[in-house]
């Protein structure tokens, strides 16, 4: 099963309102569960996968785990309200967004901070793994688009950066 197929399955589950799905083939076992008290929104579904695809015999389902172990921040140009060019730092995965490594430390970046390419800007927790998200561009943080400890979707804009 490809990563895109798993992502499509999770989207389908969130739109139908199902709380739990188990899929088992000879190559993999997949268990997706979301909390029953969570509301499902058509525009931004909120789901919480609890167990990753696990191979039964051979590592056939390895692509399902690859995005978690190899996080990256994507960028796409979009004009800002001020007319200047900006670049979005987007979430490479579904998970929980954290602005700092723990509640007692300051955020990695705030509005007005200068960031350099490769600098950690946030952490996304996915399936009990904490993934540092790095900036793909050097510039100044113009806007933080997500609240701390909020769920994020794949390709959701996290930060807006004005490049140097």
């Amino acid at each position: 099963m490809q990563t895109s197929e798993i992502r499509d399955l999770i989207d389908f589950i969130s739109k139908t309102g199902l709380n739990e799905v188990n899929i088992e083939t000879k190559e993999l076992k997949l268990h997706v569960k979301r909390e029953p008290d969570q509301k499902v929104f058509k525009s931004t579904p909120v789901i919480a996968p609890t167990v990753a695809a696990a191979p039964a015999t051979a590592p056939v389902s390895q692509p399902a785990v690859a995005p978690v172990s190899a996080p990256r921040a994507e960028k796409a140009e979009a004009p800002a309200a001020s007319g200047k060019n900006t670049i979005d730092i987007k979430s490479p995965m579904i998970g929980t967004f954290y602005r700092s490594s723990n509640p007692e430390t300051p955020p990695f970046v705030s509005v007005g901070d200068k960031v350099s390419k490769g600098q950690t800007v946030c952490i996304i927790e996915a399936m009990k793994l904490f993934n540092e998200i790095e900036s793909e561009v050097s510039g100044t943080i113009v806007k933080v688009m997500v609240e701390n400890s909020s769920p994020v979707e794949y390709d959701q804009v996290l930060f807006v950066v004005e490049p140097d």
Side-chain angles (χ1 to χ4, degrees), residues 105-159:
T105 60
F108 290 109
V109 294
S110 298
V111 174
D113 288 354
K114 296 275 187 191
V115 294
S116 55
K117 187 174 182 175
Q119 178 181 344
T120 300
V121 293
C122 66
I123 291 176
I124 295 182
E125 176 189 3
M127 295 182 275
K128 307 290 183 202
L129 294 175
F130 292 86
N131 303 281
E132 292 184 352
I133 307 304
E134 298 176 349
S135 176
E136 292 267 332
V137 63
S138 294
T140 304
I141 299 291
V142 176
K143 190 168 186 181
V144 179
M145 302 297 289
V146 182
E147 292 293 321
N148 193 41
S149 302
S150 298
V152 293
E153 294 292 322
Y154 171 77
D155 214 30
Q156 180 177 343
V157 177
L158 305 174
F159 300 94

Side-chain angles (χ1 to χ4, degrees), residues 29-31 49-55 61 64-65 127:
K29 289 182 181 181
L30 179 67
H31 177 84
T50 56
V51 179
S61 63
V65 181
M127 295 182 275

